[in-house]
């Protein structure tokens, strides 16, 4: 890093040794994110362990064994200790290992991890971005719960861990370890580690490059996988209340290092290596995801003919592609629109035609009826004329007849007189 | 983020996340502010120590630029600030340099260490600024240099295979030296600061302040502050980037009372009252550089190094750099393409 730089000595106090403090102060103001993924079969003790680790009772309903597929459930909590504010996200697998066919069990988990990387990548690629206020949801550590069978890893375990080891820091854990005796435990641990090794599964190694922590980290690396017991109940031991599980034959104390590795796990996970876990996630796993994804999208650092591709050229090319695609789509839509308009026009024309035809038909009908009626009218008029004539004749006859008849009656009347 | 109110258990909804196919990124959910009551010590606060250790290991970069006419004491001041011969003049062979015909950009880097903290300090000098007969646009090479550093960083950032730690050559702080005329700012001062305050953190300082009395100093500072305000020049710390009330009160005091700092620099020591102090010896007395009654050097040093060093870097990274990046990605070739020719003008003693 400092090649070619001369080292100078100071002739007096300057004050930049306060830099780490300045940086820490700013980080504390912003707060920290830590995201834990727990993978394990239903009933392997995941929730209890998390509750024990963080000394709280996170509300986590118990799930059934009869879910059709593996799902992930994420919950975020804000924890505060002295001045440090921690945004803790716990992601649990629900239904893991319950299905009859477990071929695809690991897929939802991989998809979830990738989705968090993707969200971060999208933010990073934005033109107007705000990375420093981004809520980081990338998984920093994966606690993989191994069933305490005492024999070896299950095929599902190997399959899942193999598909995750390049995406996330894996810490294998033996859950509900109070069912294994001490001698069985060491054999079990050895078997697990050798199986992981022979299958090429890369689990998280506690870092050994910093002298202050390298010794303890090396020791802990040799104690993996951690055999843990969790408990939400407290039992009185001596005059203290401690987290423990009470059996008829004795009490298993969670925080007793002779009983289980819980304290070691908490030490390693939180007090010693939390920052390293975050850094590895960002600098290694995320970078790998980003590289693969960008290559997938067609970006290259070296273009054809092995010449470095400048940022501008890459964006130009992409923008051009995108623009062409947009144009094509626009053209397509325009064509569709024109087509639809034509069709509608034709339909309307036809309808219009039909209406016209009907109208003409009706007009014709109307004329016919009118004609008929006129005929009838004529006939009637003729009849009326005939009738009037008859009537006139009849009246005439009647009037003639009535002129003669009154004389007769007069005569009769005279006669009577 | 602030700790949210304690919510009842009923309100803690179960959030299901159905994994979606690769094409659509899953939007991260909003965190639920369930304030978990801690029943015992967990060790979350050890992250502070962990972080501190990591940063001490990687070390820090700091790049400071000095701008001002020749003879204003820029090199001496930087040497005094960092208590070592970090400036260009001290490192070059030729002490009798001619004033260059155009503005040159000369960057020189050293590694200094204090209290276990390693710092790679780069001092960027700008000889020739304001020294010509015609000084039109003499800030342009400086603006170009600053943008080139942003460009360098951007290029590294968009690589597919990225370096673990991108080398940071961006200018974190630009000390602008104002002549102690006692009257007002010069047109060149205003032009420079107007253009550059948008791309870099500018800290104006009044140079060679030992030529002014206390009253003259106070009046001059007031006038300078007024002129900067009237011309819309936002020097560091910029009002709009105050993060919270605490920052605002602290920075308001600095902006409205202390700045611009009236400084005197020296790399010579004298004996005063039994102590060895940095100072300037004159027939009428010894001006003690680190004495607050004599000049404001100590204020400048504390401000730049002891309290705001990290903030200078963060404002550069989160705001100036982001502005450059957004503009660069939006502009369809708005900025001139960086060709190989432009690099010849910049001599570097790195």
């Amino acid at each position: 890093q400092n090649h070619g730089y001369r080292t100078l000595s100071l002739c007096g106090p300057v004050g930049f040794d306060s830099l780490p403090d300045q940086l820490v102060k700013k980080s504390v103001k912003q707060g920290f994110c830590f995201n834990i993924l727990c993978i394990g079969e239903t009933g392997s003790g995941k929730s209890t362990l998390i509750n024990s680790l963080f000394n709280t009772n996170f509300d986590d309903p118990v799930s059934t064994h009869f879910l059709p597929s593996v799902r992930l459930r994420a919950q975020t909590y804000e924890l505060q200790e002295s001045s440090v504010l921690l945004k803790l996200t716990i992601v649990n697998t629900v239904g893991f290992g319950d299905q009859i066919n477990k071929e695809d069990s690991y897929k939802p988990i991989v998809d979830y991890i990738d989705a968090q990387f993707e969200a971060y990548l999208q933010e990073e690629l934005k033109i107007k971005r705000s990375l420093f206020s981004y809520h980081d949801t990338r998984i920093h550590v994966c606690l993989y719960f191994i069933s305490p069978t005492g024999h070896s890893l299950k095929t599902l375990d190997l399959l899942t861990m193999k598909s995750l080891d390049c995406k996330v820091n894996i810490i294998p854990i033996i859950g509900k370890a109070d069912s294994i005796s001490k001698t069985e435990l060491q054999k079990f641990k050895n078997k697990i580690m050798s199986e992981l090794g022979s299958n090429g599964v890369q689990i998280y190694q506690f870092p050994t490059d910093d002298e202050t922590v390298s010794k303890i980290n090396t020791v802990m690396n040799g104690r993996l996988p951690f055999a843990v017991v969790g408990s939400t109940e407290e039992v009185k031991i001596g005059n203290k209340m401690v987290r423990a599980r009470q059996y008829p034959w004795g009490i298993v104390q969670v925080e007793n290092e002779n009983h289980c590795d819980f304290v070691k796990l908490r030490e390693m996970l939180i007090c010693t290596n939390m920052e390293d876990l975050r850094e590895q996630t960002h600098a290694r796993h995320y970078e790998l995801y980003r590289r693969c994804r960008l290559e997938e999208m067609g970006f290259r650092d070296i273009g054809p003919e092995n010449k470095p591709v400048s940022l501008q050229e890459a964006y130009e090319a992409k923008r051009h592609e995108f623009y062409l695609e947009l144009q094509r789509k626009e053209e397509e839509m325009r064509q569709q629109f024109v087509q639809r308009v034509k069709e509608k026009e034709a339909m309307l024309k036809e309808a219009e035609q039909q209406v016209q035809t009907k109208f003409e038909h009706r007009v014709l009908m109307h004329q016919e009826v009118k004609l008929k009626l006129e005929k009838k009218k004529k006939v009637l008029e003729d009849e009326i004329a005939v009738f009037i004539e008859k009537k006139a004749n009849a009246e005439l006859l009647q009037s003639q007849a009535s002129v003669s008849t009154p004389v007769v009656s007069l005569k009769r009347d005279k006669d009577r007189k | 983020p602030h700790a949210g109110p304690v919510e009842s258990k009923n309100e803690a909804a179960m959030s299901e996340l159905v994994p979606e196919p690769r094409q659509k990124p899953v939007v991260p959910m909003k965190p639920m502010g369930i304030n978990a009551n801690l029943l015992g010590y967990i060790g979350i606060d050890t992250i502070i120590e962990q972080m501190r250790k990591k940063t001490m290991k990687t070390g820090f970069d700091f790049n400071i630029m000095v701008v001002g006419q020749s003879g204003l004491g820029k090199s001496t001041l930087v040497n005094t600030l960092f208590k070592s011969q970090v400036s260009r003049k001290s490192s070059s062979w030729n002490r009798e340099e001619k004033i260059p015909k155009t503005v040159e950009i000369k960057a020189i880097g050293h590694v200094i260490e204090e209290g276990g903290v390693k710092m790679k300090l780069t001092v960027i000098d700008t000889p020739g600024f304001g020294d010509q007969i015609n000084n039109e646009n003499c800030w342009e090479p400086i603006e170009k240099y600053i943008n080139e550093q942003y460009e360098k960083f951007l290029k590294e950032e968009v690589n597919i295979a990225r370096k673990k730690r991108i080398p940071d050559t961006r200018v974190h702080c630009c000390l602008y030296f104002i002549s102690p005329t006692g009257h007002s700012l010069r047109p060149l001062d205003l032009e420079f600061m107007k253009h550059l305050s948008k791309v870099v953190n500018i800290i104006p300082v009044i140079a060679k302040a030992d030529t002014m009395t206390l009253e003259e100093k106070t009046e001059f500072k007031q006038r300078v502050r007024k002129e900067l305000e009237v011309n819309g020049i936002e020097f560091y710390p910029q009002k709009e980037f105050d993060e919270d009330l605490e920052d605002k009160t602290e920075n308001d005091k600095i902006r409205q009372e202390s700045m611009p700092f009236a400084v005197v620099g020296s790399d010579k020591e004298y004996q005063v009252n039994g102590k060895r102090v940095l100072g300037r010896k004159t027939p009428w007395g010894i001006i003690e550089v680190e004495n607050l009654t004599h000049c404001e050097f100590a204020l400048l040093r504390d401000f730049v190094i002891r309290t705001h060093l990290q903030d200078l870097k963060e404002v550069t990274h989160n705001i100036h750099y982001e502005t450059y990046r957004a503009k660069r990605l939006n502009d369809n070739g708005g900025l001139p393409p960086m060709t190989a020719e432009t690099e010849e003008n910049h001599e570097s003693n790195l």
Side-chain angles (χ1 to χ4, degrees), chain A residues 43-258:
Chain A
S44 50
K46 306 187 288 287
S47 311
T48 315
L49 181 71
I50 296 292
N51 285 347
S52 310
L53 266 177
F54 292 99
N55 259 338
T56 54
N57 239 323
F58 295 125
D59 178 34
D60 209 13
V62 179
S63 42
T64 99
H65 283 276
F66 293 93
L67 293 166
S69 64
V70 177
R71 285 193 318 229
L72 288 103
R73 190 165 66 207
Q75 277 170 296
T76 309
Y77 311 92
E78 284 185 359
L79 298 173
Q80 181 146 15
E81 199 168 66
S82 47
S83 55
V84 177
L85 185 73
L86 182 73
K87 269 212 184 93
L88 177 73
T89 302
I90 313 280
V91 185
N92 260 314
T93 52
V94 179
F96 188 75
D98 279 333
Q99 295 76 32
I100 295 181
N101 183 357
K102 296 179 239 190
E103 273 176 353
D104 293 339
S105 292
Y106 70 91
K107 289 213 184 105
I109 304 174
V110 171
D111 287 343
Y112 180 85
I113 295 176
D114 279 348
Q116 309 319 307
F117 283 147
E118 183 67 26
Y120 189 88
L121 181 63
Q122 291 296 327
E123 183 65 30
E124 201 188 19
L125 288 178
K126 274 194 197 157
I127 293 190
K128 236 186 153 212
R129 60 189 189 178
S130 49
L131 280 175
F132 53 89
S133 57
Y134 179 78
H135 175 54
D136 192 359
T137 55
R138 298 173 295 179
I139 301 292
H140 299 122
V141 67
C142 167
L143 299 178
Y144 193 94
F145 285 73
I146 298 167
S147 289
T149 58
H151 299 304
S152 60
L153 286 172
K154 297 189 183 160
T155 331
L156 177 63
D157 296 336
L158 281 169
L159 182 64
T160 310
M161 283 200 267
K162 195 87 177 82
S163 63
L164 293 176
D165 66 355
C166 56
K167 290 186 183 288
V168 73
N169 301 316
I170 301 181
I171 297 182
I173 293 185
I174 302 171
K176 296 197 171 174
D178 49 349
S179 60
I180 313 181
S181 75
K182 257 216 151 100
T183 40
E184 289 170 350
L185 186 62
Q186 196 49 54
K187 258 199 272 178
F188 188 34
K189 281 192 182 184
N190 294 341
K191 189 86 199 322
I192 292 174
M193 291 310 278
S194 78
E195 281 197 331
L196 288 175
S198 56
N199 281 281
V201 175
Q202 302 218 329
I203 57 172
Y204 176 73
Q205 292 291 105
F206 302 120
T208 50
D209 46 0
D210 183 347
E211 324 80 48
T212 47
V213 291
S214 69
K215 194 152 168 248
I216 182 100
N217 277 347
T218 322
V219 168
M220 291 300 173
N221 276 330
R223 294 259 199 273
L224 286 170
F226 292 131
V228 294
V229 175
S231 172
T232 46
E233 264 126 45
E234 295 193 330
V235 175
K236 195 165 181 146
I237 306 271
N239 55 355
K240 276 203 303 176
M241 294 296 282
V242 294
R243 280 185 185 268
R245 288 178 63 74
Q246 185 148 48
Y247 291 106
W249 47 89
I251 301 173
V252 180
Q253 296 159 43
V254 168
E255 296 191 22
N256 185 331
E257 292 204 57
N258 283 327

Side-chain angles (χ1 to χ4, degrees), chain A residues 1 21 74 80 279 287 316, chain B residues 15 52 54 162 165 332:
Chain A
Q1 253 176 332
D21 286 324
Q80 181 146 15
E279 192 185 303
E287 284 298 311
E316 276 302 304
Chain B
S15 28
R52 194 200 301 270
K54 269 205 187 280
R162 300 200 280 209
R165 201 167 154 241
N332 208 341

Side-chain angles (χ1 to χ4, degrees), chain B residues 280-320:
Chain B
R280 283 175 64 73
K281 190 160 184 210
T282 68
W284 44 90
I286 295 180
I287 306 161
E288 294 164 52
V289 166
E290 283 172 306
N291 186 335
L292 275 170
T293 54
H294 289 197
C295 80
E296 294 168 354
F297 169 81
L299 286 181
L300 173 70
R301 178 202 54 209
D302 287 349
F303 178 64
V304 172
I305 300 178
R306 292 186 188 171
T307 54
H308 286 71
L309 194 67
Q310 183 60 27
D311 188 59
L312 279 162
K313 292 177 60 170
E314 288 199 3
V315 172
T316 308
H317 179 67
N318 292 331
I319 295 166
H320 295 303

Side-chain angles (χ1 to χ4, degrees), chain B residues 262-282:
Chain B
V263 296
V264 174
S266 169
D267 44 13
K268 293 197 172 60
E269 283 188 336
Y270 296 96
Q271 192 94 329
V272 174
N273 292 340
K275 278 203 303 173
R276 287 200 70 76
V277 291
L278 281 173
R280 283 175 64 73
K281 190 160 184 210
T282 68

